[in-house]
Amino acid sequence: MSGSALITDRPTARERREAFRAALAGNRIVRMPGAFSPLVAMAVEDAGFEGVYVSGAALSADLGLPDVGLTTLTEVAGRGGQIAAATSLPTLIDADTGFGEPMNVARTVQALEDAGLAGCHLEDQVNPKRCGHLDGKTLVPEDEMVRRIAAAVRARRDPGFVICARTDARGPEGLDAAIRRAQRYVGAGADMVFPEALADEREFEAVREAVPAPLLANMTEFGKSLLLPASTLESLGIDAVIYPVTTLRLAMGAIEDGLRAIAEDGGQADLVPRMQTRARLYELLGYADYAALDADVFNFTLTDGGTR
């Protein structure tokens, strides 16, 4: 394995958006593990995935907050931009409800465009929202969500930026309502649909048959959806899959285990074999490539005539 592309070699935001749209139009599912930091995004790329996802739940948790709509557009755009900049892969971000009314949604889309994201998803919950796999969600009327999507589509300046409409209707209103909402959101201009908290293959099949747009599946642990492998989702006609909080859960599980061991043992010596080595971290970060770039950039000598 080798590190992510050198910062000078990474594609532009527009190129990454074009790559995302091309991948969604292809025959293979686009796998997008969640990254809660730029370094995690680099590991996602290095592992051979096709995209990166920035989860609102993971971002909130990393800030020490529950996923109940407490984060701001500034925080989300800032962190999302840092993550997107660290990788050559397209990055899709969770924009919750768009941080307000349709005018706020328009500003949200432009802020995320400016931050270098490849796309965002907007949901049809009321604000403040709840985690998509919790009970007690409340939805806005369909017409209000249609206005959100229309505002998002109108506000974007790069037509490559992907507007994904998420519907949380499966739980509170049922599958038929979720399908009806998804169809209306596509009619309003959504490029992709994210039907949240579907139960199983049968429900994914039903949405696939009824919705004429790329579909995004959420394979989050401890949720309401059966965890299906990417190959199964691909066979069902699903175009992209996210693993939103997986890396955070893996990391926090290891961190808590390690801290308990240090507290009990008085040191970390026994934990060293379980750690990422310094050499591997440097490889992932591309230290050698940066050193070579630095040497090339500053490879000059001073003469009486100036520099050369």
Side-chain angles (χ1 to χ4, degrees):
M1 293 185 291
S2 61
S4 298
L6 188 66
I7 191 169
T8 54
D9 298 330
R10 291 175 192 157
T12 65
R14 176 164 291 183
E15 289 169 337
R16 281 174 282 171
R17 290 167 192 155
E18 291 172 351
F20 188 32
R21 283 186 174 269
L24 291 175
N27 297 321
R28 302 300 304 272
I29 194 167
V30 181
R31 303 164 301 161
M32 309 183 81
F36 59 93
S37 78
L39 183 59
V40 175
M42 296 176 78
V44 168
E45 179 176 354
D46 194 62
F49 290 93
E50 296 80 33
V52 173
Y53 177 67
V54 180
S55 159
L59 191 153
S60 296
D62 197 43
L63 292 173
L65 298 169
D67 183 25
V68 292
L70 295 175
T71 53
T72 67
L73 171 58
T74 301
E75 290 170 325
V76 171
R79 192 62 165 168
Q82 291 172 337
I83 292 169
T87 174
S88 300
L89 299 177
T91 302
L92 177 71
I93 195 166
D94 180 357
D96 286 343
T97 61
F99 303 98
E101 299 303 314
M103 188 64 70
N104 300 90
V105 173
R107 183 167 184 255
T108 293
V109 165
Q110 293 192 349
L112 297 176
E113 273 190 308
D114 290 343
L117 280 304
C120 72
H121 65 74
L122 302 157
E123 64 199 53
D124 54 8
Q125 287 195 53
V126 300
N127 190 30
K129 50 74 61 78
R130 293 173 65 86
C131 171
H133 287 257
L134 293 179
D135 294 325
K137 296 181 290 186
T138 303
L139 307 187
V140 297
E142 292 179 26
D143 288 345
E144 183 172 339
M145 182 60 178
V146 165
R147 288 193 293 272
R148 286 180 186 174
I149 297 299
V153 172
R154 182 174 179 180
R156 68 178 167 193
R157 294 149 297 176
D158 182 352
F161 187 85
V162 172
I163 304 295
C164 177
R166 168 176 145 179
T167 179
D168 285 75
R170 169 61 185 89
E173 297 183 354
L175 182 61
D176 289 344
I179 290 173
R180 184 185 66 248
R181 281 176 173 264
Q183 291 169 334
R184 289 203 64 191
Y185 303 162
V186 172
D191 303 301
M192 181 163 62
V193 170
F194 174 1
E196 178 64 298
L198 298 185
D200 51 30
E201 294 101 322
R202 182 189 65 81
E203 295 195 354
F204 279 109
E205 284 179 330
V207 177
R208 175 68 289 166
E209 290 176 3
V211 177
L215 294 182
L216 174 72
N218 181 9
M219 291 292 102
T220 191
E221 306 82 16
F222 316 111
K224 296 182 179 296
S225 298
L226 180 66
L227 295 181
L228 301 170
S231 58
T232 298
L233 291 168
E234 185 175 273
S235 70
L236 295 171
I238 305 304
D239 302 279
V241 56
I242 56 173
Y243 307 93
V245 195
T246 305
T247 59
L248 178 67
R249 289 180 174 131
L250 288 168
M252 289 305 299
I255 288 168
E256 290 190 325
D257 287 346
L259 291 174
R260 278 192 293 267
I262 293 171
E264 293 170 2
D265 301 339
Q268 81 276 35
D270 290 343
L271 299 172
V272 170
R274 294 159 53 185
M275 295 182 183
Q276 183 185 60
T277 64
R278 184 195 300 268
R280 173 58 188 145
L281 175 61
Y282 285 7
E283 180 185 40
L284 184 61
L285 291 170
Y287 260 65
D289 294 332
Y290 278 88
L293 174 65
D294 191 52
D296 289 343
V297 170
F298 291 100
N299 185 21
F300 62 86
T301 58
L302 294 176
T303 67
D304 292 339
T307 61
R308 69 162 186 256

